[in-house]
Amino acid sequence: MSHSLVRFGRAAAQFSLLGAAWALLLGLGTARADQVNPPHPRPRTPLGIYAVVPVEKAADDECNAAGAWLEFDGQALVNACLKGLYTDLLDNKAVSGLALQVYWTTLNPNPPTSPDPYSWDYVDDAFSSVNLWNSSNPGKVPKTIQLIVTPGFNSPQWMLDELTDCDGLFASPAVIPADTCGKATFTSSKEPAAGDVLPMPWNPTYQAAWRTFLKALQARYNAGYEVIGGGLGGNPLVSIAVAGPTAASAEMLLPNGFENDQTPSDGPATSANCMWDELLALEATGNPDSWSCSGTDAALITAWDDAIDTYASIFGDLTLIVTTGDGLPNLALSFAVVPTTPYDFTSDCPSPDMDCQAETTVLAHFAQSTVGGSNAKATQTSGMEASRVGLNLGIDAVQLLSRQSATSAKILGGAQFNTQVSNYAAQEGCLATFPPTKDFATCKVPAGGFATQNAVNVECIPQMCLAPGVTLADLQSKKLLTYGAVKKNDPQDLISPEQAAYNVLEDFFTGAPTGGPDFVGMKGGAPLNYLQIYYEDIEYATNNQSQPGASVKHTGGTVKTETLETLLEQASAQLTKIAE
């Protein structure tokens, strides 16, 4: 029987036996005046390791959501399955809670004026699961929730229908739209998404619709929970990621680059940067031809500042998270200097460019003491990989701000693994970039790069991505021609998930205060609060915790036999010691 079917059966049984208890514990909805929280001693903040659950993907992969709708009560089956998944993750003692990634269109499929504008089931499932776990484990630290709701490409169709089209700009011949046009089609993006039509970040109709949704989200999950004993109490929500001027995630990441990978339906192939150049010029001057990659991205910066202020005005007594992405369009070789107030952000940009200047300008706004309302604040990088060291706006930037603000505004720090170590160990945890993006001694990278990691030729696998003692000659002697063939036939010859996780954790903690012997690179004054790891890795850690483990080479050369579960528990303990 498949893993998802087992979860379906067990979860359905739990659903039938405990449904009433979950409904009672959930207690969601707009608060009455007599239910309003008393003042918090401090805003709720995330602490520890959070299991990242991309809800739509999990519903499909774990719960066969598409097939479930063929059943009499498909929604109930998927809800029960997701609750089973959430409970399994919460039962892992290294896990502090859930980080839910969910599309705006999933939660708000119909206009606010319709009889049923919202569909909260998938998030309700998480809240009820956390509340049930906490009530069932009164002697343990309560589990909590981080929310990451994404608009942009993941906006509902009803909202996109309210926006006029900008795509005439890219037709042949061009048809110049009004400067109030509100959406454009990007056929190529670096992140998976619900669609390819992107609302313009500065469009007032888009911003107003997003603001209306955020108020409904706040009323359901941020308002009206009773605080027990001055602590977390009944509300497990500790943070929400700021989004709005975004594409497929909460990162400062939009389609970008000068590759001609955008294919408008009525025009020639073009690049994302050329599209932004015309869109920004149209917004600023009404003339899309007024610039030639020398304009300003001020509209993007303003949209981000406005989004931060919107969240601060709507949400209260939790943590607002701004996520850098190193992914805003670089349109000009000359740009304003990186801000140095209220903190010096110069070190965030070892390779200064227009994107880094824009993102640090947004961070400078976020860091002001007058910004954020009654909330705590945190910054995050969501692209943690072992090979991504010394780049713009990485974990070093998160640590820099947490260190500089430690005695004043106390801006917290966190990160997210870029992908799963259990399925993509070489990409996530190899100390060399994988798949490789440029030629080296034994390797010729094809034009456009490798389509997938499995397609990488054996001679292009960096030595650092192999298991200790294994060489490329060893793989070639076995007539294994690609990384995919090695992974299928001799996975022990490749870097292990455990080694990959250790390498990323070492990068994450380096620069943080020393709190234990597990990651020897941890020395510095940068407090960190949380780390988000994909749920598949939590499942892998749980399922393999009784196995012998893998040989993990630590910094300094010491080799220890460790499981992923052991490493995660060490990291969780470390975060408890060094967090703000």
Side-chain angles (χ1 to χ4, degrees), residues 290-528:
S290 61
W291 299 338
S292 179
C293 286
S294 60
T296 174
D297 53 5
L300 298 177
I301 296 172
T302 300
W304 264 103
D305 290 352
D306 289 346
I308 290 168
D309 294 342
T310 294
Y311 275 72
S313 69
I314 292 174
F315 295 92
D317 300 320
L318 46 67
T319 300
L320 302 181
I321 297 175
V322 168
T323 310
T324 57
D326 193 23
L328 298 181
N330 282 308
L331 304 179
L333 296 177
S334 61
F335 42 86
V337 296
V338 172
T340 56
T341 58
Y343 304 103
D344 188 347
F345 292 92
T346 305
S347 298
D348 286 6
C349 305
S351 300
D353 57 22
M354 191 176 189
D355 161 60
C356 199
Q357 187 275 332
E359 294 195 44
T360 52
T361 300
V362 174
L363 292 179
H365 172 76
F366 184 58
Q368 293 178 27
S369 60
T370 56
V371 171
S374 63
N375 302 287
K377 296 184 284 187
T379 63
Q380 171 180 322
T381 177
S382 290
M384 279 290 298
E385 289 182 357
S387 63
R388 293 185 179 180
V389 178
L391 304 180
N392 287 356
L393 297 163
I395 188 61
D396 293 343
V398 172
Q399 292 183 349
L400 176 67
L401 189 53
S402 72
R403 181 170 59 250
Q404 290 188 113
S405 66
T407 58
S408 54
K410 295 187 181 298
I411 298 175
L412 311 178
Q416 182 185 110
F417 276 25
N418 191 50
T419 189
Q420 310 155 28
V421 294
S422 52
N423 289 318
Y424 304 99
Q427 178 182 337
E428 180 63 26
C430 181
L431 296 176
T433 300
F434 187 86
T437 56
K438 59 183 179 180
D439 297 344
F440 55 89
T442 63
C443 170
K444 179 70 174 177
V445 176
F450 293 99
T452 66
Q453 65 168 9
N454 286 341
V456 176
N457 300 330
V458 161
E459 62 269 21
C460 289
I461 303 176
Q463 180 64 45
M464 292 179 180
C465 301
L466 301 180
V470 177
T471 66
L472 291 180
D474 294 332
L475 301 183
Q476 291 166 334
S477 70
K478 298 178 182 181
K479 309 299 184 184
L480 299 174
L481 302 181
T482 64
Y483 178 89
V486 179
K487 187 176 180 182
K488 178 180 178 180
N489 295 285
D490 290 300
Q492 72 280 357
D493 289 345
L494 301 170
I495 185 173
S496 68
E498 292 77 12
Q499 182 69 64
Y502 174 84
N503 290 346
V504 183
L505 290 169
E506 183 76 356
D507 285 347
F508 175 71
F509 282 115
T510 296
T514 301
D518 301 315
F519 304 97
V520 298
M522 294 186 292
K523 293 182 180 179
L528 293 168

Side-chain angles (χ1 to χ4, degrees), residues 99-113:
L100 297 182
Q101 295 178 335
V102 59
Y103 297 164
W104 179 17
T105 186
T106 297
L107 302 181
N108 190 184
N110 300 307
T113 55

Side-chain angles (χ1 to χ4, degrees), residues 98-148:
L98 306 172
L100 297 182
Q101 295 178 335
V102 59
Y103 297 164
W104 179 17
T105 186
T106 297
L107 302 181
N108 190 184
N110 300 307
T113 55
S114 70
D116 54 345
Y118 304 111
S119 178
W120 304 112
D121 291 67
Y122 289 171
V123 180
D124 283 0
D125 293 339
F127 274 76
S128 62
S129 297
V130 169
N131 281 332
L132 180 62
W133 194 97
N134 290 342
S135 65
S136 301
N137 296 273
K140 297 181 180 179
V141 176
K143 307 280 184 169
T144 56
I145 291 175
Q146 297 184 291
L147 271 183
I148 308 167

